[in-house]
Amino acid sequence: EAGVAQSPRYKIIEKRQSVAFWCNPISGHATLYWYQQILGQGPKLLIQFQNNGVVDDSQLPKDRFSAERLKGVDSTLKIQPAKLEDSAVYLCASSLSFPSGYEQYFGPGTRLTVT
Amino acid sequence: AQSVAQPEDQVNVAEGNPLTVKCTYSVSGNPYLFWYVQYPNRGLQFLLKYITGDNLVKGSYGFEAEFNKSQTSFHLKKPSALVSDSALYFCAVRDGDNAGNMLTFGGGTRLMVKP
């Protein structure tokens, strides 16, 4: 079965520019997650979708980050405007559904460098 | 708030020797516990989980983990380490009594297996 797909794999932008990341989850997975992983740290959840509805976005910096999953399948995460501290790997993951015992499957990530 | 502690930044072990990567957690409800492995420039890969049942959980690549409720620990173990096990390992917890509760990761432990 195909895994979680993400693009681009790498992105370099200047501060104050905007950037968007794309994720296509495993087919049939209802739940989709975006994580931010800063170098040397564990992933931190930014937003969680169940189908096309937001379940948890409490850690998403909403003044500059936005995410959508319009048709309940693929998703985009946007940063506008970017700051230096946004340099990180952005991971997308998906799981079969609720309840919370299901494991998550991760994509390869997008490494963002903000200069 | 829930949390995960991985007290060792790095664990060094000789090939063929047993390995242990430590994890302790804090969560208000019923703990659902997970181990993930991350190879360079790749996303996280699921190893094993504890949801309920037998305290000793077996997972991929010969890894196992033991859930200890009294010590709030979920240490990852393998009887005989391989050089190819060298990677970054993450422990994670979520509150099983709260559907949709986010997965919280530890800071990661780098495992180095030397020939």
Side-chain angles (χ1 to χ4, degrees), chain B residues 27-97:
Chain B
V27 66
S28 57
N30 207 20
Y32 285 4
L33 294 153
F34 302 80
W35 275 102
Y36 288 84
V37 60
Q38 188 172 35
Y39 297 99
N41 298 316
R42 296 177 66 177
L44 279 71
Q45 189 173 332
F46 170 73
L47 277 180
L48 52 80
K49 66 181 178 182
Y50 172 82
I51 305 300
T52 187
D54 195 347
N55 288 346
L56 184 64
V57 178
K58 294 188 184 296
S60 306
Y61 312 120
F63 284 94
E64 58 188 29
E66 186 165 12
F67 171 63
N68 188 317
K69 188 172 184 178
S70 62
Q71 296 186 3
T72 62
S73 68
F74 189 56
H75 301 332
L76 182 69
K77 300 181 180 183
K78 188 174 182 181
S80 179
L82 299 172
V83 172
S84 57
D85 293 331
S86 298
L88 194 53
Y89 291 80
F90 290 96
C91 181
V93 68
R94 70 191 314 172
D95 184 346
D97 294 337

Side-chain angles (χ1 to χ4, degrees), chain A residues 37-58:
Chain A
Q37 186 178 18
I38 293 173
L39 187 65
Q41 299 181 17
K44 183 186 82 171
L45 181 72
L46 293 175
I47 189 167
Q48 175 180 337
F49 292 94
Q50 176 71 5
N51 296 310
N52 59 351
V54 176
V55 174
D56 187 337
D57 62 357
S58 58

Side-chain angles (χ1 to χ4, degrees), chain A residues 98-113:
Chain A
F98 283 28
S100 52
Y102 292 108
E103 58 269 27
Q104 298 177 20
Y105 294 86
F106 286 79
T110 297
R111 183 177 298 277
L112 174 68
T113 302

